Amino acid sequence: MARNTIDFLFFQATVACHFNTKFASLEKMTDKEKTIIITDEHVFAAHRKKFRGWNTIVLKPGEEYKIQVTVDVIIEQLIAFGADRQSFLVGVGGGVITDITGYVAGIYMRGIRFGLVPTSLLAMVDAAIGGKNGIDIGIYKNMVGLIRQPEWILFDIDFLKSLPLIEWRNGFAEIIKHAAIRDAALFRLLQQQTLTGFRRQPKLLERLIRTNVLIKMKIVTEDEFEKGDRKLLNFGHTLGHAIENQYELSHGQAISIGMTYAALLSEQLTNFKQAISVIDLLERYGLPTRAAFDWKKVEKVLAMDKKKSLVGMQYVILKKIGDAVIHTIPVPELMNHLRNLN
């Protein structure tokens, strides 16, 4: 029988992942008197009883609030709560909440401890994993932030019961990404199953979440600061991030389009044979694979991408399902390739 708690060792921290664990266990994991929860209006409204008796900061929901103004609001409320260096933050929410909680924990009084309770599928399999925390600056995603690990992550799939369909699809975009870059067996499982099938089988869903956490944790514990293989997790994200905020796409929609273009580009650069399989799988889980957008605007955002070096853009492409590589390509050449894929 699989263990419910697995510890992952990072350079300066150990992160305990508590699988198949109820939110009520939070009282055993942290001192209630010293803990402040950060969540958003949607999560708070859907699970109001869970927050009873906890000091809670409730934020406006959405990527548009993942900005410095929101950070300032949180810090003002922490001061009002009398939060000090012994205080503990708990982010309860999707990727915006987990990102911003880790960021605030990293800068408030030069750093306080924190834990995460991801409530969306996307946050459970991706956003809450790996210690990347930060905020957006205008249309530039995650331009400001830091890498800092939570003490623990609690996975309670009961939160997923209130999740709208679009958020399930967002999560499966990242799951498909993990399968494409690292796990051919997972890719085949996804081809055999459906989104509805996973929703109706809690045990299968638990295993799916655990599998994806293990995939990402293995990569990030070996390369916490993104010097090597952690860059593979950017599959679909280079173009995806360039169009996400410009066109008000959800994260899953944007990276699904990004993965489509990356798979087609892989055909040209590595003779990848399974682009159609990737596209079909994205569509199977209700994700878009094409969009019309302004390439000049895309190029402007790519010019500020964190993955760009003096040599060119570090673009993730596929050799085969489960085997990704990083290909450095000058931005003008990359743009020519991408335009020709339309």
Side-chain angles (χ1 to χ4, degrees):
M1 185 175 179
R3 290 185 296 139
N4 276 353
T5 299
I6 301 176
D7 291 333
F8 295 91
L9 183 63
F10 287 85
F11 179 61
Q12 290 183 322
T14 298
V15 180
C17 286
H18 302 286
F19 298 102
N20 194 25
T21 302
K22 299 302 181 186
F23 183 80
S25 300
L26 190 61
E27 292 198 31
K28 299 176 183 177
M29 297 166 61
T30 182
D31 183 343
K32 203 168 189 178
E33 296 299 316
K34 295 181 179 178
T35 298
I36 299 166
I37 290 176
I38 300 175
T39 190
D40 68 33
E41 291 174 351
H42 287 166
V43 176
F44 187 79
H47 305 278
R48 192 177 296 268
K49 289 182 180 178
K50 295 182 187 294
F51 297 97
R52 195 168 291 160
W54 292 92
N55 292 323
T56 305
I57 296 171
V58 183
L59 306 176
K60 294 284 186 184
E63 184 78 24
E64 63 267 35
Y65 294 102
K66 188 178 155 185
I67 55 177
Q68 185 62 43
V69 172
T70 304
V71 172
D72 294 343
V73 168
I74 294 169
I75 290 173
E76 287 170 1
Q77 292 190 56
L78 290 177
I79 293 169
F81 275 125
D84 57 26
R85 287 183 175 176
Q86 282 68 54
S87 296
F88 192 92
L89 298 187
V90 178
V92 182
V96 171
I97 291 294
T98 60
D99 274 15
I100 211 163
T101 298
Y103 180 53
V104 170
I107 63 174
Y108 184 72
M109 292 195 171
R110 296 180 181 166
I112 61 175
R113 298 153 55 227
F114 73 107
L116 299 174
V117 183
T119 63
S120 70
L121 185 62
L122 175 62
M124 288 184 184
V125 301
D126 182 64
I129 311 298
K132 279 189 176 180
N133 314 287
I135 56 173
D136 302 340
I137 303 295
I139 61 173
Y140 300 103
K141 289 266 298 174
N142 303 315
M143 183 59 71
V144 174
L146 46 82
I147 293 178
R148 193 162 184 267
Q149 302 300 333
E151 289 198 0
W152 46 258
I153 307 170
L154 185 157
F155 297 89
D156 181 354
I157 67 168
D158 283 351
F159 279 104
L160 300 180
K161 293 176 182 176
S162 63
L163 206 63
L165 180 59
I166 188 172
E167 291 300 334
W168 281 92
R169 289 172 173 165
N170 280 337
F172 272 99
E174 291 289 355
I175 289 168
I176 292 168
K177 178 198 77 176
H178 288 154
I181 66 169
R182 269 295 168 97
D183 196 328
L186 174 59
F187 195 92
R188 290 191 294 271
L189 174 65
L190 294 169
Q191 288 176 313
Q192 295 160 8
Q193 291 288 338
T194 63
L195 192 156
T196 300
F198 281 110
R199 290 179 72 175
R200 290 177 176 173
Q201 301 177 76
K203 289 185 178 179
L204 182 62
L205 180 60
E206 287 272 12
R207 290 201 298 273
L208 179 71
I209 292 168
R210 183 187 291 253
T211 295
N212 279 270
V213 171
L214 293 176
I215 289 171
K216 184 165 183 181
M217 276 295 196
K218 185 176 190 306
I219 293 173
V220 299
T221 52
E222 293 173 356
D223 181 23
E224 184 174 3
F225 298 101
E226 202 166 306
K227 303 298 183 184
D229 278 1
R230 184 166 185 167
K231 295 175 184 177
L232 298 177
L233 294 168
N234 291 317
F235 178 63
H237 284 59
T238 303
L239 177 59
H241 279 174
I243 63 176
E244 182 175 344
N245 284 355
Q246 285 193 61
Y247 297 95
E248 298 183 355
L249 297 167
S250 72
H251 181 70
Q253 290 171 335
I255 67 159
S256 177
I257 294 167
M259 284 189 282
T260 298
Y261 279 81
L264 293 171
L265 183 61
S266 301
E267 286 185 325
Q268 298 181 14
L269 300 180
T270 67
N271 200 29
F272 178 58
K273 305 290 188 184
Q274 298 159 291
I276 296 303
S277 295
V278 173
I279 294 167
D280 286 348
L281 188 60
L282 292 166
E283 292 175 346
R284 182 180 181 85
Y285 285 85
L287 291 157
T289 53
R290 292 285 187 174
F293 34 79
D294 186 331
W295 285 106
K296 289 184 178 178
K297 289 184 178 179
V298 169
E299 186 167 9
K300 181 181 177 182
V301 178
L302 287 181
M304 292 297 296
D305 192 285
K306 299 183 294 297
K307 297 176 288 300
K308 186 172 71 69
S309 67
L310 292 175
V311 179
M313 184 68 70
Q314 295 178 318
Y315 213 86
V316 182
I317 55 177
L318 302 175
K319 293 170 65 178
K320 61 182 180 180
I321 297 297
D323 186 5
V325 293
I326 300 162
H327 187 90
T328 301
I329 181 169
V331 172
E333 185 181 335
L334 173 63
M335 293 304 302
N336 286 335
H337 277 295
L338 294 175
R339 285 193 189 94
N340 290 335
L341 293 175
N342 256 1

